Amino acid sequence: MTTTFPTAAPSALGIDAGGVDRFLDALESTPGVEPHSIVLLRHGQVAAAGWWHPYAEDRVHLLYSLSKSFTAAAVGIAVREGLIDLDATALSYFPELDAEITDERSRRIRVRHLLAMASGHREEALDRARAADPDDLVRGFLLTPPDEEPGSVFAYNQPCTYTLGAIVRRVSGGTLVDYLRPRLLDPLGIDDLAWRRDETGAELGFSGCYAPTWAIARLGQLYLQRGVWDGERILDEDWVAQATSTQVENPGEENPDWSQGYGFQFWMARHGYRGDGAYGQFCVVLPEQDVVLALTGQSLDMQAVLDAAWQHLLPALDAVDVDAAADAGLEARLASLGLPPVAGGRLPEHLAEVSLRSRPGGILDAVTFARDGDGIRMTVTDDGRSDSVPLGEGRWAVDGALAASAATEPDGTVRVALRFVETPHLLHLRLDLDRGTVGAKWGTEPLHDGPMTLRRPAD
């Protein structure tokens, strides 16, 4: 099942294409920001959509904490179906733990407190919960006493969302994806969505969701439409109202768009509200402008992404002077977006016969090369697993979940950029052919995967 949005010229939707262009300029030029995709919807129509090669429209992308908003949607649907009560305690869904959980504050944590990151803990409790029970994160979390009364303080807390996912699994008798498939994913036309699981087989809930950019846009549009899709109510209007308004204050957060309050796994912002994930995964909803902005990327400075949106994109909505002539230029630019490949000299011919060992403590165990038609194919190995990709010279070569570009520096060192194109991540390799070694450095550090598991999980 596929649901596509109609496409309209930006000017037909009251959007100045020049402002979108300036937003793209900012994304491409701001230090600490690297865009991978953009989808801009207005009035339920596509005003702009593009992917920076080697990222592509038909690929999933690791969403990191934007996964939380999909977990929350599952809770909202279960609330609508009468399977979950927002005012029930978390403990009530795990009666087998009742005798063990003796702390009164832990016993008073309600579902709505989990949704609002207001469990009463003053700071992230993931490590403490895992220490309390390495095999059962829900039990470990409930055995970690809150510092304050639940509902009174905000702390971004991964076990809150993990417990929400566990509650959905408990009341539905299946996985999160199984529950969401007929209730959310199929109705919204989200064909591909997978979730990283922990050692127990449970979806992480707070992270690990892989989905295309269109899935992000569709989830945002569902909330913008207050829970209705194609005339079918999927989320209760009251749920949407609570999820997208401040349930707990968080003025202590450092960045301005992270200190405007928190809803149900959504951040309030200076404009509208959003779900987001590490390294620049965004679902921004602007109800006043009837706009959804979906972004993926590898961005260390996520506040800079939002600053650019408010500076350039927001004024382009309902601009006084809309230049229809700029529409065509923006369309052409969106069709030709790309991340720069590695620049430098040609690869040495003898590279095809080289095998390199990692330096002590390196990220990879080994890197080998072989002739591949007119080019060279690189194989990377770590922890007993291997994968390979052609090396693109002056371009990105893509194979499966990997993309690579390589060039030779004046001193003979070969540089390779290895992208894991179903995730935000980039690995920089420096090949010392004389010494037979390879050095590796992450562009951004993966939060819960190694190099050979940075890909869509199997269903």
Side-chain angles (χ1 to χ4, degrees):
M1 178 184 294
T2 302
T3 302
T4 57
F5 295 105
T7 298
S11 61
L13 299 173
I15 299 173
D16 177 27
V20 182
D21 247 329
R22 289 186 288 276
F23 178 54
L24 298 179
D25 288 341
L27 294 180
E28 292 181 336
S29 64
T30 300
V33 173
E34 179 186 275
H36 293 168
S37 71
I38 177 174
V39 171
L40 178 65
L41 305 179
R42 189 167 210 198
H43 310 321
Q45 301 180 69
V46 182
W51 284 258
W52 278 260
H53 183 72
Y55 290 85
E57 180 177 8
D58 60 352
R59 288 191 178 276
V60 296
H61 200 281
L62 173 57
L63 304 185
Y64 278 122
S65 281
L66 183 49
S67 308
K68 293 177 170 70
S69 299
F70 285 89
T71 300
V75 176
I77 294 168
V79 168
R80 176 170 170 78
E81 292 183 344
L83 299 176
I84 293 178
D85 180 353
L86 290 178
D87 290 310
T89 64
L91 181 59
S92 69
Y93 293 94
F94 306 96
E96 71 276 13
L97 302 177
D98 186 75
E100 297 182 78
I101 309 304
T102 58
D103 181 82
E104 286 302 316
R105 285 175 174 164
S106 288
R107 296 180 66 87
R108 288 196 291 270
I109 298 172
R110 300 183 183 275
V111 174
R112 65 170 62 253
H113 298 146
L114 300 175
L115 286 160
M117 295 293 187
S119 60
H121 299 87
R122 290 198 199 102
E123 58 188 19
E124 172 68 67
L126 182 60
D127 289 344
R128 286 177 289 161
R130 284 176 171 162
D133 191 331
D135 301 317
D136 184 343
L137 186 57
V138 172
R139 180 175 178 272
F141 174 55
L142 293 175
L143 285 171
T144 304
D147 308 291
E148 307 288 348
E149 186 63 25
S152 65
V153 296
F154 171 85
Y156 200 64
N157 198 351
Q158 313 302 335
C160 285
T161 317
Y162 185 92
T163 303
L164 291 170
I167 291 172
V168 173
R169 288 190 292 271
R170 180 64 63 95
V171 301
S172 69
T175 69
L176 272 175
V177 175
D178 287 343
Y179 186 69
L180 287 171
R181 174 55 59 197
R183 296 167 176 85
L184 179 81
L185 306 181
D186 286 346
L188 269 59
I190 299 173
D191 298 320
D192 194 5
L193 182 143
W195 224 305
R196 176 73 64 216
R197 302 188 184 199
D198 64 14
E199 294 79 5
T200 71
E203 295 105 334
L204 295 181
F206 58 82
S207 186
C209 184
Y210 285 70
T213 312
W214 288 114
I216 302 171
R218 286 170 178 145
L219 183 70
Q221 188 67 28
L222 174 66
Y223 274 87
L224 182 61
Q225 294 170 181
R226 306 194 69 78
V228 174
W229 192 271
D230 284 345
E232 174 189 356
R233 180 159 289 283
I234 294 175
L235 296 168
D236 285 334
E237 188 166 5
D238 179 60
W239 164 271
V240 174
Q242 292 182 78
T244 61
S245 60
T246 298
Q247 300 299 309
V248 61
E249 301 288 345
N250 60 349
E253 296 296 304
E254 181 179 354
N255 292 321
D257 280 299
W258 275 260
S259 60
Q260 307 296 316
Y262 197 80
F264 287 168
Q265 311 289 287
F266 279 102
W267 297 88
M268 304 306 104
R270 287 178 289 172
H271 304 278
Y273 57 87
R274 73 183 187 283
D276 66 39
Y279 305 127
Q281 324 320 311
F282 286 103
C283 178
V284 179
V285 182
L286 304 174
E288 290 185 15
Q289 292 80 17
D290 198 22
V291 160
V292 173
L293 174 65
L295 299 167
T296 63
Q298 181 184 224
S299 298
L300 289 167
D301 191 346
M302 291 174 62
Q303 183 61 64
V305 176
L306 294 177
D307 289 344
W310 309 150
Q311 181 180 354
H312 302 293
L313 190 58
L314 196 61
L317 309 175
D318 292 324
V320 175
D321 296 315
V322 174
D323 181 9
D327 290 344
L330 175 62
E331 182 179 9
R333 178 177 184 176
L334 289 166
S336 60
L337 296 171
L339 299 173
V342 176
R346 294 297 305 272
L347 298 177
E349 286 293 326
H350 70 282
L351 182 61
E353 294 91 40
V354 168
S355 295
L356 303 175
R357 65 186 184 278
S358 181
R359 295 169 184 167
I363 294 169
L364 299 171
D365 290 338
V367 179
T368 61
F369 301 88
R371 181 64 56 191
D372 183 27
D374 294 332
I376 297 173
R377 176 172 285 267
M378 177 178 72
T379 298
V380 293
T381 302
D382 185 64
D383 198 25
R385 302 181 185 184
S386 297
D387 205 350
S388 68
V389 62
L391 293 181
E393 296 189 63
R395 62 184 181 89
W396 291 103
V398 183
D399 192 354
L402 300 178
S405 178
T408 303
E409 295 186 336
D411 65 358
T413 300
V414 175
R415 289 191 301 125
V416 180
L418 179 64
R419 290 190 178 273
F420 301 82
V421 290
E422 295 176 342
T423 79
H425 298 296
L426 164 67
L427 190 59
H428 298 283
L429 305 179
R430 296 185 69 86
L431 316 181
D432 189 329
L433 305 185
D434 294 332
R435 295 184 178 181
T437 60
V438 56
K441 180 181 180 180
W442 288 110
T444 49
E445 188 83 21
L447 301 184
H448 48 63
D449 279 292
M452 306 316 296
T453 57
L454 283 170
R455 63 193 64 242
R456 181 195 186 280
D459 293 324

